[in-house]
Amino acid sequence: MSKPAARARIYRGTPRNLAMLARALRRGGLVAVPTETVYGLAADALNARACRKIFTAKGRPANDPLIVHILARGDLDRIARPNDAARILARKFWPGPLTLVLPRQPAVPDVVSAGRSSVAVRMPRHPLLRRLLKLGGRPLAAPSANPFGYVSPTTAGHVLAGLGHRIRYILDGGPSAIGLESTIVDLRDPRKPRLLRPGAITRAQLERALGRPVLTARVSRRPVRGAQLAPGLLTRHYSPRTPLVLHRRIDPKDVRADHGRDRAWLFIAKPRNLAGTNIHWLDPRGNLRGAARRLFGALRSLDAGGFKAIHAELPPGNGLAEAINDRLRRAAARG
Ligand code: TXA
Ligand code: MG
C-alpha cells in the first residue's frame, strides 16, 4: 500500500483565512487549531457526523470522549449542567487550561461524550481559537491533534507531521504557550472533586478555590472496553517510539561514563559540568513553565534522533512538576 500524499496546509490567522476555516467547520469539516495548551483537532461539537471524523483521523477508539471548547462562560449551560463548584472554577480559571467534567445536556451528541452521561468542557484562551469560535458560532469538540497514543502537538508543524495526510486545514497560532494538555477535574459530584489529569492549573489552586481537597481519580491502568472513567488517561499515552527510562536523579557519573551515542540524557535544567551532543535540557535554569512548554517538542526531536533510549530526570515537587511527571510517566509506560 502506498502512503497517501500529504494534503494539509498550514494557514496563518488572517481575517480571510479565519473566515474560510470557520466556513469549513460549519460545513462539518475538521480544522486543527492552536490552543494555549496543545493543538487540537476541531469539529462542530453539535454535529455528530463531523465529530465522528475526528475519531477516524486520529485513529482514536470511539469510547474515548472529546472535550467541548466554548467561547464564553454563558455557553456552558447549553453543553453541561453546571453546579456551584463548576461556576466557581469557571469564574476563576476560564478562559484557561482547565477542563470540567459535568453532567451533559442532550444537545451534545453521543459521539462527543462516547455515550456517557457526562461531558468535558473548557473555555480556551488562545486569541486565534477564540476568533474562530466566534466566527463559527458553534462550540468545537477537539482532542489533541496527534495520532492516537503519540505525543501531543505544540506547533502547527507537529500537527502536519502527524496528521498531514488525514486532514486539510491547520491554523497556525505559534508554539503553544503552556505545552501540556489542560487540567481535567471531575465535578459530577461537587462535594468530591477529582483530578483526572494534572495540568497547568494545579491541584493546590483548585483546592484553594473550592475550599476542599481534590483527590486523584483512580483510573484503570488497562484498556477495558467502555468501562473506565477516562479512557484517554490510560497509563500508556503521549508516547515516543524510543524507549524512555525515568530517573529520580541522573548521576552525572553515569552520564560521563556513557561514551556511546545510543543514549540521550534529558534534564529539566541545564546540567552543570556536563557537555556533549547527547546531553539535553528543557529549560536553562530549570524553570518549570519553560520545561512544560518544551517537553513535547523535546520528546519529538529526541524520538527522531535515532537513539536506542532516552533517559530523563523527573522534576521533584508538586504543582506543575506533578503535570510534567504525569506526562513523562505516561510517555515511559510500555504496553
Ligand atoms: O488541553 C487540552 O485539553 C487539549 C486541547 C486541544 O484543548 N485537549 C486534549 O484532549 O487534551 P484529549 O482528547 O487529548 O484529552 C481529553 C481527555 C481524554 O483523556 C478523555 O478521556 C477525557 O479528556 N474526557 C473527555 N470527556 C470526558 C468525560 N466525560 N469524562 C471523563 N473524561 C473525559
Ligand atoms: Mg490527547
Side-chain angles (χ1 to χ4, degrees):
M1 260 200 334
S2 65
K3 227 174 148 199
R7 61 193 187 108
R9 267 190 58 191
I10 294 179
Y11 294 85
R12 285 182 306 127
T14 62
R16 201 167 145 217
N17 286 346
L18 288 169
M20 185 275 292
L21 297 173
R23 274 198 304 278
L25 286 165
R26 277 202 301 269
R27 282 198 307 263
L30 300 184
V31 177
V33 297
T35 89
E36 68 278 25
T37 57
V38 301
Y39 275 70
L41 183 59
D44 177 347
L46 304 179
N47 177 338
R49 252 190 80 214
C51 291
R52 250 176 249 124
K53 294 182 193 166
I54 294 176
F55 290 84
T56 312
K58 278 189 58 120
R60 180 179 178 109
N63 69 352
D64 192 353
L66 307 176
I67 295 176
V68 177
H69 297 68
I70 56 176
L71 176 64
R73 265 183 289 265
D75 300 336
L76 176 59
D77 299 70
R78 204 168 152 209
I79 304 300
R81 281 188 280 121
N83 43 44
D84 285 347
R87 287 197 193 88
I88 289 170
L89 295 186
R91 221 177 297 129
K92 184 138 185 102
F93 299 112
W94 282 359
L98 178 66
T99 297
L100 307 178
V101 171
L102 290 166
R104 103 168 133 132
Q105 292 286 17
V108 178
D110 271 345
V111 48
V112 170
S113 59
R116 285 149 212 267
S117 55
S118 62
V119 62
V121 192
R122 102 175 172 92
M123 176 176 163
R125 180 182 284 280
H126 196 292
L128 282 187
L129 174 54
R130 298 188 56 75
R131 281 168 66 189
L132 195 59
L133 278 164
K134 192 159 191 184
L135 286 169
R138 291 293 182 93
L140 294 174
S144 52
N146 49 290
F148 181 71
Y150 196 63
V151 182
S152 292
T154 52
T155 67
H158 293 164
V159 180
L160 186 68
L163 295 177
H165 56 294
R166 304 267 180 109
I167 61 175
R168 294 174 84 105
Y169 306 113
I170 302 171
L171 174 59
D172 191 350
S176 307
I178 291 170
L180 300 178
E181 305 85 350
S182 60
T183 303
I184 307 182
V185 57
D186 179 1
L187 287 179
R188 285 173 306 164
D189 179 349
R191 286 158 309 172
K192 286 198 189 132
R194 294 189 304 163
L195 191 64
L196 298 183
R197 180 171 72 186
I201 304 292
T202 64
R203 186 196 300 272
Q205 282 177 292
L206 298 173
E207 291 181 338
R208 265 200 304 279
L210 294 174
R212 56 172 86 236
V214 174
L215 302 179
T216 298
R218 256 182 297 141
V219 176
S220 164
R221 294 300 184 199
R222 291 189 167 278
V224 185
R225 279 182 65 202
Q228 81 266 42
L229 185 60
L233 306 179
L234 296 173
T235 307
R236 172 139 199 240
H237 214 69
Y238 317 104
S239 298
R241 288 176 201 92
T242 313
L244 180 63
V245 184
L246 301 181
H247 303 260
R248 284 201 182 284
R249 183 173 167 274
I250 294 176
D251 190 337
K253 276 199 260 124
D254 292 341
V255 183
R256 281 194 209 100
D258 174 26
H259 297 296
R261 302 177 139 260
D262 289 348
R263 281 182 275 194
W265 301 89
L266 179 63
F267 295 85
I268 300 290
K270 182 175 192 298
R272 272 180 268 155
N273 313 324
L274 280 177
T277 50
N278 42 3
I279 314 284
H280 303 264
W281 57 89
L282 294 173
D283 186 85
R285 294 174 185 197
N287 176 292
L288 289 182
R289 284 175 195 265
R293 190 162 61 236
R294 295 183 200 100
L295 175 64
F296 289 158
L299 290 178
R300 282 170 180 266
S301 60
L302 291 176
D303 204 15
F307 297 105
K308 291 221 172 79
I310 303 165
H311 288 257
E313 196 172 74
L314 296 163
N318 303 314
L320 201 47
E322 186 182 0
I324 294 174
N325 273 308
D326 171 79
R327 302 312 189 276
L328 280 169
R329 288 187 198 284
R330 291 174 200 281
R334 294 278 128 186

